[in-house]
Amino acid sequence: MSSNRRSKNITEGVARAPNRSMYYAMGYTDGDFGKPMIGVANGHSTITPCNSGLQKLADAAIVALKEAGANPQVFGTPTISDGMAMGTEGMKYSLVSREVIADCVETCVGGQWMDGVLVIGGCDKNMPGGMMGMLRANVPAIYVYGGTILPGRYKGQDLNIVSVFEAVGQFSAGNMSEEDFCQIERRAIPGSGSCGGMYTANTMSSAFEALGMSLPYASTMANVEDPIVAHTQDAARALVEAVKRDLKPRDIVTKKAIENAVAVIMATGGSTNAVLHFLAIAHAAEVDWTIDDFERMRKRVPVLCDLKPSGRFLAIDLHHAGGIPQVMKVLLNAGLLHGDCMTITGKTVAENLAEVPDVPRADQQVIRRIATPMYEQGHLAILRGNLSPEGCVAKITGLKSPVMTGPARVFEDEQTALAAIMAKQIMAGDIMVLRYLGPKGGPGMPEMLAPTGALIGQGLGESVGLITDGRFSGGTWGMVVGHVAPEAYAGGVIALVQEGDSITIDAHQLLLQLNVDEAEIARRRALWQQPAPRYTRGVLAKFARNASSASSGAVLDGD
């Protein structure tokens, strides 16, 4: 291929002979040097069920790439299981892994001068990490999602990972038998695939489909069902065509494309983590996008899908109901999507959706029509106030009233907060403050699914508030506000809150306010001292030193 950068360099002369020799050692022949070299970033791992089913997809991609006339070059990317690390010190490595994955993709593509890359991932940070690496490298690229998990079953009810965390609260409150608790624990995760609701992994995969960086219908397939293998082969072939056309990620990931992705996040009731990750993705793409753009999109786009954690259905149900293309077609017809955006298929969004029905099928309940949405506006609200002048994220669906004022219950870490909930020391009307859990203070912004799940399980999901400079799982719902910025470690006002202070959370007014006069806040600030870093060596220390504010994506290469 004349446009192949490697081919041009290898044929330049004798200086490239050692270069060729190493390829001959792997079975290459002279004819291979005219073919595009395509990286396959394989996230397969037996660490987590999210990634344990990825090898079959990597194998399928390799076969399809060879058949399409390309040379696949396989390299690995790591993963951290959020579900397994939740509530432990290991959770601090989760957001860090986003950066490690991005670095892996960028490093291998750049170091080996690949002509394209196909990234395969499953668990939450695989998606933004892979996308950031693809955008940095900016060679033709496609994302292949490993697929969602099928639901577990017990006593006629569907189960998923959040069922277990909520069962902890129910059991501790005396509302569940030990037998039921143990059976839920054993049955919730029946096989491979990523957590089944519209949690972070499925949110990001859905957004990537809307972004144009994955094939249509790619984001909601089940890992254990056969169609996903053929779909991966289709993705490999599409990537080879993109290499021929020199269609690069930054040609696709424009501001309008990000608006499409965020519209789908709002319409599907997606994870709060999408705010953090799309700030980072936009940064990697060098697209002008701020936290306020999410609020702008929220006001325009209704919630159309009845999906967990605040709804009834799982991602596989969405797939059977028409998938993300059906959601996108509804949005497109309502003027809420940019149909002229280019996608990795070589077609525009509108062209990809041409054959999709204008309205959802009548025999399904997952996707609503535009005239009868779940909620008139999106669910991810950006709040501000003296507690978070840079903005923070509240997930406001599923609540009878997203407004409360109550006394602060202050905790310096997640574990003591969870212990207080389990000991029934948290009462209706309290507002829990979990701090020093931000990008620098955590470090790594651990997720608070254990405390929020326990609150839901004890029946306190709507009557107890929880604010944090850390993050929430995509499986979280309730009166929760995360990504508070500036964070406590950076001297944000959240560091100055004292036990019993009055706090107001008001999603209607987009307000997060500490009801203490400015003179008292100034007095406390004068006495505040930044704590010593929790880590001084290794990746957590490097992340803490370099991470930007959550309000700009917690990126490591910011200005």
Side-chain angles (χ1 to χ4, degrees):
M1 183 178 295
S2 60
S3 65
N4 185 294
R5 294 173 298 159
R6 182 184 300 279
S7 176
K8 288 167 64 178
N9 280 276
I10 288 176
T11 56
E12 280 176 355
V14 177
R16 293 294 176 181
N19 209 309
R20 293 194 299 270
S21 293
M22 299 190 80
Y23 285 95
Y24 291 141
M26 294 188 292
Y28 281 55
T29 65
D30 288 345
D32 287 320
F33 297 115
K35 299 175 181 178
M37 302 292 188
I38 305 295
V40 178
N42 183 6
H44 173 78
S45 170
T46 56
I47 286 175
T48 169
C50 303
N51 291 52
S52 63
L54 300 188
Q55 188 59 49
K56 65 183 180 183
L57 305 186
D59 293 341
I62 290 165
V63 170
L65 288 168
K66 288 180 178 178
E67 290 175 348
N71 288 318
Q73 297 184 309
V74 183
F75 61 94
T77 60
T79 194
I80 297 296
S81 171
D82 287 16
M84 293 176 177
M86 202 73 68
T88 74
E89 196 71 4
M91 188 65 213
K92 295 179 180 180
Y93 288 87
S94 170
L95 186 57
V96 174
S97 74
R98 183 189 75 178
E99 305 303 313
V100 176
I101 293 165
D103 290 349
C104 283
V105 173
E106 179 189 4
T107 299
C108 287
V109 171
Q112 295 301 123
W113 221 5
M114 294 170 181
D115 296 296
V117 62
L118 182 150
V119 180
I120 306 172
C123 201
D124 294 1
K125 306 311 171 296
N126 295 187
M127 259 70 69
M131 186 61 64
M132 291 160 65
M134 290 155 65
L135 287 162
R136 291 180 197 167
N138 202 34
V139 299
I142 194 166
Y143 201 97
V144 173
Y145 179 45
T148 188
I149 201 169
L150 294 178
R153 294 284 291 177
Y154 181 59
K155 290 188 172 179
Q157 298 294 316
D158 282 350
L159 300 174
N160 60 85
I161 184 62
V162 177
S163 305
V164 183
F165 284 94
E166 293 182 0
V168 171
Q170 291 175 289
F171 182 63
S172 69
N175 297 327
M176 178 179 287
S177 70
E178 184 174 357
E179 173 64 16
D180 285 347
F181 176 73
C182 292
Q183 289 298 324
I184 289 172
E185 179 185 35
R186 290 175 185 142
R187 296 169 184 255
I189 310 295
S192 60
S194 296
C195 297
M198 193 47 68
Y199 310 145
T200 301
N202 287 323
T203 296
M204 297 306 296
S205 67
S206 299
F208 287 0
E209 185 177 326
L211 192 65
M213 289 297 293
S214 295
L215 294 186
Y217 299 100
S219 61
T220 51
M221 289 182 167
N223 175 264
V224 297
E225 295 181 341
D226 291 339
I228 199 169
V229 174
H231 199 84
T232 301
Q233 294 177 318
D234 289 341
R237 288 187 282 266
L239 176 57
V240 174
E241 291 303 309
V243 172
K244 293 176 182 178
R245 295 191 303 272
D246 198 29
L247 178 59
K248 298 184 178 72
R250 294 196 195 184
D251 300 327
I252 296 171
V253 183
T254 62
K255 186 164 187 173
K256 288 167 66 175
I258 292 176
E259 287 185 345
N260 285 350
V262 174
V264 166
I265 290 165
M266 295 296 178
T268 56
S271 167
T272 54
N273 283 307
V275 175
L276 188 79
H277 296 327
F278 264 92
L279 287 167
I281 288 166
H283 175 77
E286 298 187 77
V287 169
D288 180 20
W289 188 266
T290 72
I291 194 169
D292 293 320
D293 286 309
F294 292 95
E295 181 59 30
R296 174 174 60 84
M297 293 298 296
R298 183 189 73 82
K299 291 177 179 177
R300 294 182 59 223
V301 182
V303 179
L304 297 176
C305 298
D306 189 359
L307 294 166
K308 289 182 181 296
S310 55
R312 294 179 292 166
F313 297 104
L314 297 170
I316 191 62
D317 300 314
L318 173 61
H319 187 69
H320 295 153
I324 293 301
Q326 183 63 81
V327 177
M328 292 178 69
K329 188 61 174 283
V330 173
L331 294 173
L332 180 68
N333 289 343
L336 297 173
L337 221 58
H338 301 289
D340 59 342
C341 287
M342 180 53 61
T343 75
I344 191 61
T345 66
K347 298 178 181 180
T348 65
V349 166
E351 289 171 335
N352 284 342
L353 299 176
E355 301 302 317
V356 177
D358 286 334
V359 295
R361 297 195 323 267
D363 65 345
Q364 58 80 42
Q365 301 179 58
V366 184
I367 308 169
R368 299 282 191 94
R369 297 189 178 204
I370 196 73
T372 56
M374 295 287 295
Y375 303 95
E376 295 289 341
Q377 293 184 324
H379 62 300
L380 299 179
I382 306 302
L383 311 188
R384 293 183 187 270
N386 66 358
L387 258 175
S388 190
E390 291 182 10
C392 55
V393 186
K395 192 173 187 179
I396 59 176
T397 47
L399 298 172
K400 294 183 180 69
S401 175
V403 179
M404 72 178 297
T405 295
R409 302 296 308 279
V410 181
F411 301 91
E412 310 295 314
D413 57 57
E414 177 187 5
Q415 289 72 28
T416 55
L418 179 60
I421 297 169
M422 300 297 283
K424 301 184 180 179
Q425 296 171 357
I426 303 300
M427 305 299 173
D430 287 344
I431 296 181
M432 301 181 71
V433 179
L434 280 64
R435 63 191 181 192
Y436 293 103
L437 295 166
K440 293 180 178 294
M445 290 187 79
E447 294 178 351
M448 302 294 109
L449 181 57
T452 59
L455 287 172
I456 297 295
Q458 289 192 6
L460 298 172
E462 298 210 42
S463 59
V464 169
L466 192 154
I467 70 172
T468 180
D469 49 7
R471 296 184 294 130
F472 294 112
S473 163
T476 293
W477 72 276
M479 196 68 179
V480 297
V481 181
H483 310 195
V484 171
E487 63 176 288
Y489 189 82
V493 173
I494 190 172
L496 310 179
V497 179
Q498 294 182 0
E499 187 81 8
D501 282 349
S502 172
I503 291 175
T504 294
I505 304 170
D506 189 336
H508 293 320
Q509 297 188 59
L510 303 178
L511 179 68
L512 182 66
Q513 188 78 10
L514 175 64
N515 300 314
V516 171
D517 66 60
E518 288 301 316
E520 173 60 15
I521 292 174
R523 186 191 69 80
R524 295 180 189 180
R525 184 178 298 285
L527 297 174
W528 178 80
Q529 292 184 334
Q530 186 179 67
R534 298 180 194 267
Y535 293 86
T536 57
R537 298 290 175 89
V539 294
L540 290 179
K542 287 189 285 187
F543 190 92
R545 283 196 296 270
N546 294 302
S548 72
S549 169
S551 63
S552 57
V555 298
L556 301 188
D557 60 347
D559 298 331

